[in-house]
Amino acid sequence: MNIDNYKPYISGETMMGPNSARLLAELFDKYPLTLAHDDMILDLGCGTGLTSFIIARETGARVFANDLWVSAQDNKKRFAKWGVGDQVTPVCEDANNLPFEKKQFRALISIDSYHYFAGNRGFFQEKILPFMKDDGVVLIGIPGLKDEYAGRSTELLSDWLGDDAYMFKSPKLWKELIGDSDRIGLVKTWEMDCFDKAWDDWLATNNEFALGDKQHFEAVIKPYTCFVGIYIKLTTPGCV
């Protein structure tokens, strides 16, 4: 994926944190998706729809762009403006109560959002897995805590994140939280390589939240945090 193709769409208005396009690019480069035009992808926690737009362009598949905080109507207008209105369906639903059909999606992608709602054991099996096709793929990129600081998120990050510090977990812990199932063939987690560039893009904007993050970057964010990549390959039950 060539991120330069999407620079006109990446701004302080479309980003809601460190550049989500950078995280998506690393996931796609590491685990490319080969999909048909009638395959369906769920972009879970799509924000302003930037990732959904890129997913649609890169895969050619149908995308359902779900976010609880940004209205479907606002995203619909953006998708139409960006020329993917017929390919991307905006949705505004809680990740704990998704309205989709069983085994509807060939792939699920979640950028900078999964940590908000999925930090409990069993969430993936109960809330995500039912909607995934056998042999499907899940790609997740989220902020987290470096492995060497595992279990210390509240201690290290509270000055920056307040009561939300607990959401930041290490790659190893995220692998444990995904858990096991006869439909899960493989789970890999790692510290992503795009940390510096994704943060540089965000901190260069005049977004008020970026200005707040800038105050904590050198003392808290840079030394203790990372982006956690998660790859999950599903399989047919009984075939691992």
Side-chain angles (χ1 to χ4, degrees):
M1 172 182 154
N2 186 354
I3 196 171
D4 290 340
N5 294 335
Y6 302 103
K7 281 186 175 180
Y9 306 94
I10 301 170
S11 69
E13 294 182 356
T14 57
M15 289 189 289
M16 296 179 70
N19 191 350
S20 57
R22 297 277 186 193
L23 278 73
L24 184 61
E26 180 169 334
L27 293 172
F28 276 177
D29 289 346
K30 195 174 183 69
Y31 296 104
L33 296 180
T34 302
L35 302 173
H37 73 279
D38 56 349
D39 281 331
M40 298 184 190
I41 301 174
L42 175 59
D43 184 7
L44 188 57
C46 67
T48 60
L50 176 63
T51 50
S52 303
F53 165 66
I54 297 174
I55 292 166
R57 285 286 182 87
E58 290 292 316
T59 67
R62 295 178 58 191
V63 181
F64 285 74
N66 185 82
D67 197 88
L68 184 61
W69 296 346
V70 180
S71 76
Q73 190 61 33
D74 287 346
N75 276 339
K76 183 177 182 179
K77 293 177 182 177
R78 269 186 289 270
F79 295 144
K81 179 181 178 181
W82 292 342
V84 294
D86 293 337
Q87 189 181 352
V88 183
T89 301
V91 186
C92 187
E93 297 287 350
D94 192 320
N96 286 279
N97 191 29
L98 296 173
F100 304 113
E101 297 178 6
K102 302 300 182 184
K103 297 190 177 182
Q104 181 171 340
F105 298 105
R106 179 65 62 190
L108 180 146
I109 298 171
S110 186
I111 306 297
D112 197 14
S113 61
Y114 194 78
H115 57 300
Y116 284 108
F117 46 76
N120 297 321
R121 296 181 189 276
F123 180 90
F124 184 81
Q125 286 81 358
E126 296 173 12
K127 305 297 184 178
I128 301 297
L129 199 53
F131 302 109
M132 300 300 300
K133 290 181 178 292
D134 294 339
D135 300 318
V137 173
V138 175
L139 296 173
I140 298 170
I142 48 176
L145 202 64
K146 294 180 180 179
D147 272 326
E148 59 262 41
Y149 301 112
R152 299 176 60 192
S153 59
T154 300
E155 169 196 350
L156 298 173
L157 307 182
S158 290
D159 286 348
W160 171 43
L161 298 173
D163 293 340
D164 290 338
Y166 76 93
M167 295 181 185
F168 277 45
K169 308 179 193 302
S170 68
K172 289 181 180 178
L173 180 53
W174 273 113
K175 186 172 184 178
E176 294 176 9
L177 289 173
I178 296 298
D180 298 318
S181 165
D182 62 353
R183 295 189 60 209
I184 297 176
L186 179 65
V187 179
K188 290 188 176 181
T189 60
W190 70 97
E191 292 185 14
M192 300 181 73
D193 296 326
C194 61
F195 182 90
D196 290 335
K197 290 183 177 179
W199 271 108
D200 286 348
D201 292 344
W202 172 238
L203 296 179
T205 72
N206 290 321
N207 185 292
E208 62 177 304
F209 295 104
L211 296 177
D213 289 340
K214 188 178 295 186
Q215 299 177 20
H216 297 281
F217 186 74
E218 291 296 334
V220 177
I221 299 171
K222 186 175 181 179
Y224 303 127
T225 74
C226 65
F227 290 118
V228 180
I230 304 174
Y231 167 77
I232 305 168
K233 183 66 176 75
L234 304 181
T235 186
T236 302
C239 301
V240 178

